[in-house]
Structure formats: structure tokens, C-alpha cells
């Protein structure tokens, strides 16, 4: 898939990895950033940037999104591949970045999506305003020979390519929830037709009113502090609010190539991507923040030893620290759970893991924080060397690919 196809074919968010789906037998996987091909599961993928691993180590998916204007081609291989790509059985995708040439080039792009351009849903109320949504993606790229007027002329020897891209996404969706009414928060369940009974004695509560002596101060505190009050009448769907999904992303990709005579070429490529995802739910304390950084760089040396003998050496590094933080961690409420006074619950203080227990109420929106304060990292140190020999119709390749893989998870 060449550079013209990458920039001119329509894609979701200009994600160059997704262009793999136009290859025969390849389809999107069940997890974000994965694919299914060659009859394998989506955990059998290999994703590389200039030959250096760019996927997570436990699940071969990626949150990286190389800048489309800085990509020369995307190579997709499935099924029977050569030994150098044989660590996985499914889909191998390698994104190749551009190098500079003697002719300067550049590009500037801006893509916009928003509620002004979106079609309304079939069942939507056309008299109501559309859900606010905006997606702004802008990028700039330049490449050419490294020239400093009056000081240095790198034509035919040293070339550069640099690109920057930013994404600013804001979306708001209407949300409807069910929370306890004002009377219920006082122990007055007269709005409920079913008879309430004391769970210990099985004696009915007259008028479905629970006396103050039977009310848990812990439950009252949770309702008061963490469950918003209803803003609509009724027992169900009595809370109307919004869900927010915002994404800020910045990325820099930089590459320098140098020719050493006519037989050798060395280059260095650096890719940094910083992303922050902010999700706010109708019950605010259930929302999450997800900061994530991708770092991928390599150095490569290619030497044409003889007209039919070539050696390619690469060394690189890939890192993805990613955190999923809850409301309490973000707002530094280190002892909110312990402060509730639940006997035996002080893990937020003892283990420095802010939060409160999960509270689920049948028929109502719950307070569930499972899977938050999930801290993780994936790091890969990699070097490879491939030597290729060609004689007549025969082509022999041999090499080594060594990786040090580090993975950490903490919750």
C-alpha cells in the first residue's frame, strides 16, 4: 500500500494501520488495533514500524498511529511468510516511514468532523439540537536535503524528514440514568408498591418507611456524596445528563538519513506520541482518565558489500506506558474509601490505590470502578541483522532478531 493510497483512500481518522484491511483475507479483529488473517486469531499479529516492534507485548495490538503524510508504504503479509516474519502466524504489518530526497517536499493537512456535518439518526428528535461533536486532525510534514545556507550543503548525502500531527476530539452524548429519589434517600420507599421488610426479622416496614435507626450511615454518605440527585420525576430514567468523550493527541516523527559513499546508508528515526483520553459518565465518579505515551525509535545501517551481497542491521526501542485512572486518583482523594468507615476496607490507604468499593443497586445505576487505577507498561529492546545473497535465480537470506521484552501490570 503506497503513499498515494495512504493519503487519498478514505480511512477512519487517517489511521495507516487500518489500511491493512484492504488486503485480501484480512479483516478487523475483536480488539482495538488488531486484525484477523490467515485463519488465525487476532492475538497472532505482528506490527512493526520500520522493522521495530510497535505493539503491546501481551496482546499484539497498538495504540500508535503513525502520521499518514510521513509514511512511504504499508506492507501487509499473511500466511506463508519468510522466517524473519515468522514469530506470529497471522497478519504481519510493517509501516515504512519516508526518507528525504534532494528535492524538498512538504504537506499541510486538516480534517474536520462535527455535528454540523453528521446525519441525524432515524429515531432522533429532529427538533432537538444535535449532540455536540467535533474532531479536528491537523498535520504538517517536510522533507528534503539537509542544507544550512552558507555553512553546509548535504545534497546527495544527508536528508531529513519531520512531521507533526495533532488530534483534538470532543463529543457529548445525552445519557439517561436511574438513581434513588429524594424520598428514598431518607428511607421513605412509599413510592414503591412492593412491600419492604426488615432483612433480619422479616417484619414489614409500615408504609414502606424505614426508620432512621435502621439506616446505614455509610449508605447515606455514599448516596449523598457520589450519586447525583434525580432531575426528572418518576422512579426510572429520572436522571438526564451527558457523557463526554474527549481525546487530545500530539505526535512528532523525525528521521535523518546519511549516505556513506555509494555502498552504505545509515539512518535514525524517532517517533513520539502523547495521548490523553477523558471520559466523563452521567455519574461523574465513574469516569476515567487515560494518559498514554508511545515512544519508538531506531538506528539502521545498510551496507552493499558486493553487488549481490547485502547486510542490514537495525537496533531499536519501543515503549508504551499507559494508565487508567479513576476520579479519586485524579482528584487526589487518597482516603475516600477508608473514610466511609466500612469495617476492613482500607485498601485505598494501605496500597495507595484511591477509590471506593463497588456499589450496585438492582434497577439503578451503579457505582462501579473495576479496572481503574490500572497502571501498565510495555517495553521492547530489539536488534536484528539480516544478510541477503543473490546469485542468478537464487536468493538466500539469513539473520538474527533478538528482543528483550518487559511487561508490567499493576492494579
Amino acid at each position: 500500500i503506497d503513499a498515494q493510497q495512504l493519503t487519498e483512500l478514505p480511512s477512519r481518522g487517517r489511521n495507516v494501520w487500518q489500511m491493512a484491511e484492504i488486503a485480501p483475507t484480512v479483516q478487523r479483529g475483536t480488539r482495538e488495533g488488531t486484525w484477523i488473517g490467515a485463519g488465525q486469531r487476532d492475538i497472532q499479529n505482528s506490527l512493526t514500524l520500520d522493522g521495530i516492534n510497535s505493539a503491546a507485548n501481551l496482546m499484539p495490538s497498538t495504540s500508535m498511529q503513525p502520521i499518514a503524510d510521513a509514511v512511504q508504504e504499508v506492507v501487509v503479509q499473511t500466511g506463508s511468510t519468510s522466517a524473519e516474519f515468522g514469530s506470529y502466524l497471522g497478519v504481519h504489518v510493517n509501516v515504512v516511514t519516508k526518507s528525504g530526497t534532494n528535492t524538498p517536499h512538504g504537506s499541510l493537512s486538516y480534517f474536520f468532523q462535527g455535528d454540523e456535518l453528521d446525519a441525524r439518526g432515524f429515531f432522533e428528535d429532529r427538533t432537538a439540537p444535535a449532540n455536540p461533536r467535533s474532531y479536528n486532525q491537523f498535520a504538517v510534514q517536510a522533507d528534503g536535503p539537509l542544507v544550512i545556507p552558507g555553512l553546509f550543503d548535504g545534497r546527495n548525502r544527508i536528508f531529513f524528514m519531520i512531521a507533526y500531527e495533532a488530534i483534538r476530539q470532543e463529543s457529548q452524548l445525552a445519557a439517561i440514568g436511574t438513581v434513588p429519589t429524594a424520598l428514598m434517600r431518607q428511607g421513605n420507599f412509599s413510592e414503591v408498591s412492593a412491600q419492604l421488610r426488615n432483612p433480619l426479622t422479616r417484619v414489614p416496614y409500615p408504609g414502606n418507611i424505614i426508620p432512621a435507626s435502621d439506616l446505614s450511615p455509610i449508605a447515606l454518605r455514599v448516596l449523598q456524596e457520589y450519586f447525583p440527585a434525580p432531575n426528572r420525576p418518576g422512579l426510572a430514567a429520572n436522571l438526564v445528563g451527558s457523557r463526554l468523550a474527549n481525546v487530545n493527541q500530539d505526535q512528532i516523527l523525525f528521521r535523518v538519513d546519511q549516505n556513506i559513499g555509494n555502498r552504505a546508508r545509515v539512518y535514525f528515526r524517532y517517533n513520539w506520541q502523547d495521548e490523553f483520553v477523558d471520559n466523563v459518565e452521567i455519574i461523574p465518579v465513574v469516569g476515567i482518565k487515560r494518559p498514554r505515551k508511545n515512544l519508538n525509535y531506531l538506528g539502521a545501517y545498510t551496507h552493499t558489500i558486493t553487488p549481490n551481497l547485502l547486510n542490514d542491521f537495525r537496533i531499536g526501542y519501543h515503549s508504551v506506558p499507559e494508565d487508567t485512572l479513576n476520579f479519586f486518583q485524579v482528584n487526589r482523594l487518597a482516603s475516600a474509601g477508608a473514610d466511609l468507615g466500612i469495617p476492613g476496607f482500607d485498601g485505598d490507604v494501605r496500597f495507595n490505590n484511591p477509590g471506593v468499593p463497588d456499589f450496585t443497586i438492582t434497577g439503578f445505576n451503579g457505582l462501579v470502578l473495576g479496572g481503574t487505577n490500572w497502571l501498565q507498561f510495555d517495553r521492547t529492546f530489539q536488534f536484528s541483522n539480516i544478510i541477503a545473497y543473490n546469485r542468478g535465480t537464487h536468493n538466500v537470506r539469513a539473520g538474527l532478531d533478538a528482543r528483550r521484552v518487559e511487561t508490567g501490570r499493576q492494579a
Side-chain angles (χ1 to χ4, degrees):
I1 306 169
D2 59 31
Q4 182 178 4
Q5 291 174 304
L6 292 173
T7 55
E8 295 185 4
L9 288 176
S11 63
R12 298 184 300 275
R14 306 191 79 204
N15 189 337
V16 297
W17 298 108
Q18 293 175 348
M19 300 305 290
E21 297 169 21
I22 70 175
T25 75
V26 177
Q27 62 184 12
R28 196 186 316 175
T30 57
R31 301 172 182 85
E32 181 182 0
T34 64
W35 294 269
I36 297 174
Q40 302 296 320
R41 298 171 61 194
D42 56 6
I43 63 173
Q44 287 290 335
N45 295 326
S46 175
L47 311 175
T48 57
L49 181 62
D50 291 321
I52 299 299
N53 175 62
S54 60
N57 294 324
L58 288 182
M59 292 291 180
S61 61
T62 183
S63 56
M64 288 189 67
Q65 186 175 317
I67 303 169
D69 295 322
V71 174
Q72 180 64 38
E73 65 179 6
V74 176
V75 181
V76 184
Q77 300 182 70
T78 62
S80 298
T81 58
S82 61
E84 62 192 283
F85 307 115
S87 55
Y88 295 92
L89 302 176
V91 182
H92 174 77
V93 184
N94 183 42
V95 174
V96 181
T97 57
K98 289 181 179 178
S99 63
T101 64
N102 275 332
T103 304
H105 296 88
S107 65
L108 182 67
S109 63
Y110 173 68
F111 291 84
F112 171 77
Q113 301 176 28
D115 55 271
E116 301 93 333
L117 307 176
D118 292 345
R120 301 295 296 270
F122 182 81
F123 296 102
E124 281 191 51
D125 181 1
R126 303 303 175 90
T127 62
N131 292 322
R133 187 179 81 91
S134 67
Y135 180 92
N136 298 275
Q137 183 175 16
F138 43 93
V140 59
Q141 183 268 345
D143 64 78
L146 187 59
V147 176
I148 303 176
L151 296 176
F152 180 78
D153 188 347
R155 291 182 180 90
N156 298 316
R157 290 181 297 158
I158 302 179
F159 311 94
F160 78 93
M161 187 278 294
I162 187 169
Y164 168 78
E165 181 180 74
I167 296 175
R168 301 291 183 265
Q169 174 183 321
E170 296 181 358
S171 62
Q172 177 178 327
L173 298 174
I176 298 177
T178 300
V179 293
T181 65
L183 289 177
M184 292 178 182
R185 296 164 189 255
Q186 304 170 24
N188 185 341
F189 287 83
S190 58
E191 301 164 302
V192 179
S193 59
Q195 178 62 58
L196 268 65
R197 299 175 182 272
N198 186 307
L200 300 178
T201 65
R202 306 302 299 167
V203 175
Y205 286 118
N208 274 355
I209 298 176
I210 302 174
S213 59
D214 285 1
L215 296 178
S216 165
I218 297 173
L220 291 176
R221 182 172 180 178
V222 171
L223 287 172
Q224 179 181 0
E225 296 187 7
Y226 302 127
F227 281 86
N231 53 19
R232 294 181 64 187
L235 303 182
N238 55 10
L239 177 65
V240 175
S242 299
R243 298 175 58 200
L244 306 179
N246 301 329
V247 177
N248 284 345
Q249 184 185 108
D250 293 278
Q251 181 178 182
I252 294 174
L253 197 154
F254 177 71
R255 173 169 169 163
V256 175
D257 294 69
Q258 180 175 4
N259 291 330
I260 304 175
N262 295 324
R263 292 192 170 188
R265 185 181 183 96
V266 62
Y267 78 86
F268 173 80
R269 191 262 306 140
Y270 177 87
N271 187 202
W272 171 86
Q273 177 181 304
D274 181 66
E275 181 182 69
F276 184 79
V277 178
D278 183 6
N279 291 332
V280 180
E281 300 294 333
I282 190 171
I283 297 181
V285 297
V286 179
I288 63 167
K289 318 289 183 186
R290 182 178 291 124
R292 176 167 53 197
K293 287 185 179 151
N294 275 278
L295 179 62
N296 189 293
Y297 58 81
L298 91 153
Y301 175 74
T302 304
H303 190 181
T304 304
I305 302 171
T306 67
N308 59 352
L309 184 62
L310 176 74
N311 190 81
D312 181 76
F313 173 79
R314 295 169 189 252
I315 184 168
Y317 172 76
H318 176 66
S319 172
V320 189
E322 176 180 335
D323 301 332
T324 302
L325 309 176
N326 64 28
F327 173 89
F328 302 92
Q329 178 78 279
V330 172
N331 292 280
R332 303 182 183 278
L333 303 175
S335 61
D339 292 343
L340 292 175
I342 300 175
F345 185 87
D346 60 354
D348 54 341
V349 176
R350 283 194 297 134
F351 303 113
N352 192 27
N353 186 10
V356 298
D358 290 352
F359 292 90
T360 57
I361 309 172
T362 302
F364 296 86
N365 283 60
L367 185 65
V368 180
L369 304 177
T372 60
N373 292 349
W374 176 263
L375 315 178
Q376 66 183 55
F377 68 85
D378 288 278
R379 292 193 288 260
T380 302
F381 302 86
Q382 179 181 356
F383 77 87
S384 66
N385 192 85
I386 298 173
I387 187 165
Y389 176 73
N390 179 269
R391 183 178 179 86
T393 59
H394 301 282
N395 186 22
V396 179
R397 294 170 66 86
L400 168 71
D401 187 322
R403 307 184 187 189
R404 176 182 172 86
V405 175
E406 298 178 355
T407 297
R409 301 290 187 270
Q410 177 183 340

